[in-house]
Every structure is written in structure tokens, then in C-alpha cells.
């Protein structure tokens, strides 16, 4: 297993396959680098170097009690990039990982480190309903996530992928039990404390200023039937904040569209990276 250790002693697991221009994948909550298997194999075959890490507290990385917030997540990515000496990289983030990409690129993306960024079903600018973000989701939604995690994490991690995450609760949906089981497997590998803390990180972090600072081309991809991160208060707002942004909206597609519809998502990613 490939790992490196951060300054605070956290061991971060990562995959690093191939050669060529690096593409770094950032997974969503509460998953792991394994959520990108399809995309990593696709881009490896296209001649790219593909890298994905398990965020601290997730997957095979240390089940941390501290540092489970966006500033540290971004610093961990910067440490990984330095460890691998990556330059001219494309950073692709899904959901929580999209927030991680925004903060990382805004703070550490200079000096030729970053070529482009992609936010897929991503949480920026901010998910929580506030006075300045009246279209956001009320705090009770995220309190519900926390309560469900504490009460029965294993069941909660069945219910999310079996329902709204992949849109399997929609009439006529083609349900993949394998996808549900794989989501559960990845989630249960991580630490309960880190996952609990990460709910605040993905819901309450304000990425508005991060988005404004991005100097590289940014592709924003979002399904208009995303039940986890509603498009109206995420992608549609984020697209107005970035300087060099392209918004692609996918009719009827769910939050987990990289898994349910890779035949649509992967070619669009490739076109953006090559463009």
C-alpha cells in the first residue's frame, strides 16, 4: 500500500498509476479513493497518470479524531502533491471532494501545480441555509445526518446509496445492488468520528472566496436531479463565482452520476482536459 505521513502524524493512503499528465481525484463523503475506479481506469487507458487518496478519517487512511475540516483536508492534499511532486495537474472533486478541490486550488494551486479543476455534484459555494444563503438546506437536514450516523451508521450507509445518492428511489430506476454494497463497504472502512465531523465540513464551509480566487479553467458538472446537493444552490451559484468556468447540467442524472453514467461523464471530462 502506498502511504505518506502528514505533519500531524496522519497516514494518508493513495493510489498512483501510470505516467503522463497527472489527474488527481477527490472523493465524496463518506467514501474513499475506490469511488473513482471507473474514471481512473478510463484515464489510465488514455495515457494519463491517475492519483486518488483516501481523505483523513476515510478508507485506509488514519481514523483521525482531529483535523476533519476543510483547511486540513486541503493541507493534506498539498502535502500529497508535494510528496509526489505533481505539476500541471487536473484536480477533479465530487461532492465533498469538490469543496476540497476549491480550497486546495485557491490556497495551494500556484507555481504551475494546477492546470484545471473540475467540480462534480460539488458542495460549493455553501450547502447550509444562512441569512446570506437563503436557498440552502436547513441545519435540521444535517442534524438528521448526524443523528442517523450515531444511531446506526451501518444502516444509514445502506439507506443513502439505496435511495437518493444514486437516484435509486426514483420510479423506473435501474438499481445496482453492487453499487449500493460498494458504497456501504467504502463508508464502513472509515472512522465514525471523522465522518461525523465531516458533515459539518461539507455543509457549513463557505467556499465563496475560494471560488473567486480560482485562476485556472473550471468545469462544473451537476445532475439536475441531484437529491444530495441540490443544483440550484450549488452549481448554478458556483458557476457565477468562478472566473473561467464552464457549467454542464445533466438532465435527470443523480448525485452519484460518475458511477451510474460513466459513459456520459468520462468523455465530457476527457474533452475538458484535452480542450
Amino acid at each position: 500500500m502506498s502511504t505518506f505521513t502528514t505533519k500531524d502524524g496522519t497516514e494518508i493512503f493513495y493510489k498512483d498509476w501510470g505516467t503522463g499528465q497527472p489527474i488527481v481525484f477527490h472523493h465524496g463523503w463518506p467514501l474513499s479513493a475506490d469511488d473513482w475506479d471507473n474514471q481512473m481506469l478510463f484515464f489510465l487507458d488514455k495515457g494519463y497518470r491517475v492519483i486518488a487518496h483516501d481523505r483523513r478519517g476515510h478508507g485506509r487512511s488514519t481514523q483521525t479524531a482531529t483535523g476533519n475540516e476543510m483547511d486540513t483536508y486541503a493541507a493534506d492534499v498539498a502535502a500529497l502533491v508535494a510528496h509526489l511532486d505533481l505539476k500541471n495537474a487536473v484536480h477533479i472533486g465530487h461532492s465533498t471532494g469538490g469543496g476540497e478541490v476549491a480550497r486546495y486550488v485557491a490556497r495551494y494551486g500556484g507555481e504551475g501545480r494546477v492546470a484545471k479543476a473540475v467540480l462534480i455534484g460539488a458542495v460549493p459555494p455553501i450547502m447550509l441555509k444562512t441569512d446570506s444563503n437563503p436557498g440552502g438546506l436547513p441545519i435540521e437536514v444535517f442534524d438528521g445526518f448526524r443523528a442517523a450516523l450515531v444511531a446506526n451508521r451501518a444502516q444509514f450507509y445502506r439507506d443513502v446509496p439505496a435511495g437518493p445518492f444514486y437516484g435509486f428511489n426514483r420510479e423506473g430506476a435501474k438499481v445496482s445492488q453492487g453499487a449500493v454494497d460498494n458504497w456501504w463497504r467504502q463508508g464502513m472502512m472509515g472512522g465514525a468520528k471523522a465522518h461525523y465531523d465531516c458533515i459539518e465540513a461539507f455543509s457549513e464551509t463557505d467556499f465563496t472566496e475560494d471560488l473567486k480566487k480560482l485562476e485556472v479553467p473550471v468545469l462544473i458538472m451537476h445532475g439536475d436531479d441531484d437529491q444530495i446537493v441540490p443544483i440550484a444552490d450549488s452549481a448554478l451559484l458556483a458557476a457565477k463565482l468562478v472566473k473561467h468556468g464552464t457549467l454542464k447540467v445533466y438532465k435527470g442524472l443523480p448525485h452519484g452520476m460518475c458511477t451510474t453514467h460513466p459513459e456520459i461523464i468520462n468523455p465530457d471530462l476527457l474533452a475538458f482536459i484535452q480542450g
Side-chain angles (χ1 to χ4, degrees), residues 114-176:
V114 179
K116 296 180 179 180
V118 184
L119 310 180
I120 306 176
V123 298
I126 179 173
M127 288 192 73
L128 184 68
K129 181 178 181 178
T130 63
D131 290 343
S132 59
N133 186 46
L137 295 171
I139 189 69
E140 288 78 16
V141 171
F142 306 108
D143 287 343
F145 286 2
R146 283 181 275 263
L149 188 154
V150 170
N152 189 339
R153 185 166 70 123
Q155 186 60 50
F156 183 40
Y157 287 4
R158 287 265 183 237
D159 296 341
V160 173
F165 196 93
Y166 294 122
F168 291 159
N169 55 346
R170 296 305 197 202
E171 187 176 351
K174 184 180 178 182
V175 177
S176 167

Side-chain angles (χ1 to χ4, degrees), residues 4-267:
F4 78 98
T5 303
T6 66
K7 288 180 179 178
D8 71 350
T10 299
E11 194 170 77
I12 301 290
F13 168 88
Y14 66 93
K15 306 175 190 185
D16 180 6
W17 306 337
T19 57
Q21 183 181 16
I23 303 176
V24 184
F25 295 91
H26 305 245
H27 64 79
W29 173 94
L31 304 173
S32 73
D34 294 354
D35 200 43
W36 292 108
D37 284 353
N38 186 293
Q39 285 70 39
M40 290 184 71
L41 292 171
F42 175 86
F43 283 100
L44 181 66
D45 185 60
K46 299 295 182 185
Y48 290 89
R49 179 182 179 185
V50 293
I51 298 144
H53 71 294
D54 290 356
R55 186 175 298 115
R56 65 168 54 217
H58 296 64
R60 290 141 291 204
S61 294
T62 303
Q63 292 194 9
T64 44
T66 58
N68 305 306
E69 33 71 27
M70 280 293 164
D71 289 350
T72 305
Y73 295 160
D76 288 347
V77 174
L80 173 64
V81 167
H83 176 71
L84 298 177
D85 193 25
L86 303 180
K87 295 183 174 66
N88 195 40
V90 179
H91 285 263
I92 300 176
H94 174 243
S95 196
T96 301
E100 183 177 272
V101 166
R103 182 137 298 177
Y104 164 74
V105 176
R107 293 192 176 182
Y108 305 98
E111 300 179 343
R113 291 286 190 192
V114 179
K116 296 180 179 180
V118 184
L119 310 180
I120 306 176
V123 298
I126 179 173
M127 288 192 73
L128 184 68
K129 181 178 181 178
T130 63
D131 290 343
S132 59
N133 186 46
L137 295 171
I139 189 69
E140 288 78 16
V141 171
F142 306 108
D143 287 343
F145 286 2
R146 283 181 275 263
L149 188 154
V150 170
N152 189 339
R153 185 166 70 123
Q155 186 60 50
F156 183 40
Y157 287 4
R158 287 265 183 237
D159 296 341
V160 173
F165 196 93
Y166 294 122
F168 291 159
N169 55 346
R170 296 305 197 202
E171 187 176 351
K174 184 180 178 182
V175 177
S176 167
Q177 189 59 45
V180 174
D181 293 347
N182 191 40
W183 202 102
W184 185 88
R185 176 190 67 85
Q186 291 178 70
M188 294 306 293
M189 285 169 67
K193 174 66 164 64
H195 288 176
Y196 185 95
D197 292 349
C198 189
I199 294 170
E200 178 178 338
F202 74 65
S203 64
E204 298 185 38
T205 305
D206 190 340
F207 299 97
T208 300
E209 295 307 314
D210 300 294
L211 294 171
K212 290 178 181 178
K213 290 176 184 174
L214 302 185
E215 299 290 344
V216 298
V218 181
L219 175 62
I220 298 170
M221 311 168 79
H222 219 102
D224 72 358
D225 192 34
D226 191 323
Q227 301 172 65
I228 303 294
V229 182
I231 188 172
D233 199 56
S234 53
L236 300 188
L237 298 181
K240 297 175 182 178
L241 293 168
V242 296
K243 295 172 185 172
H244 311 290
T246 301
L247 173 65
K248 284 192 75 85
V249 178
Y250 296 85
K251 185 170 178 58
L253 294 199
H255 187 60
M257 62 187 183
C258 293
T259 296
T260 59
H261 294 81
E263 75 283 358
I264 296 173
I265 302 305
N266 292 354

